[in-house]
Amino acid sequence: MDYEEFKRQLGKAGISGREFSRIVKLNPNSLTNYSKTGKIPAHWAIVVVLMGEMAEKGLDFKTVIESVELEPNKPRGAAKDGQFGGNRKE
């Protein structure tokens, strides 16, 4: 899905990119990166299309998604403790 279609689907759902990021626990900077490349990953494309369709049919997708216990992704390269890099050499 291209970024313009993603924005159109957000409009159908009645939400902003920032709200989408909050609902699905996505770092808002990721959406900025997708806007620069012009392409949305397939899994987020499916999610936003379903949100748009649910909203058009009067279904409350926000409550459904927020009822799922999602954890935000850790930054790439993050260790188990959330710190970058490896062990310090002494």
Side-chain angles (χ1 to χ4, degrees):
M1 171 182 285
D2 66 26
Y3 191 73
E4 290 304 313
E5 177 61 15
F6 177 77
K7 289 192 326 185
R8 190 180 80 73
Q9 293 294 330
L10 287 175
K12 277 178 58 174
I15 60 173
S16 66
R18 184 166 298 281
E19 188 170 8
F20 175 83
S21 296
R22 183 191 60 75
I23 292 169
V24 300
K25 304 285 193 279
L26 176 67
N27 185 325
N29 291 338
S30 295
L31 281 186
T32 302
N33 293 340
Y34 299 146
S35 73
K36 290 177 184 175
T37 65
K39 297 287 179 191
I40 299 295
H43 60 286
W44 293 130
I46 291 167
V47 170
V48 77
V49 166
L50 290 172
M51 287 176 162
E53 290 298 313
M54 288 178 75
E56 276 193 341
K57 303 219 179 330
L59 300 172
D60 181 14
F61 65 86
K62 291 178 188 177
T63 302
V64 172
I65 294 173
E66 289 172 346
S67 72
V68 178
E69 293 184 26
L70 300 173
E71 291 186 27
N73 289 341
K74 292 182 182 176
R76 289 186 193 171
K80 287 183 181 179
D81 62 4
Q83 295 181 358
F84 288 100
N87 296 328
R88 289 186 178 176
K89 294 183 181 179
E90 296 188 28

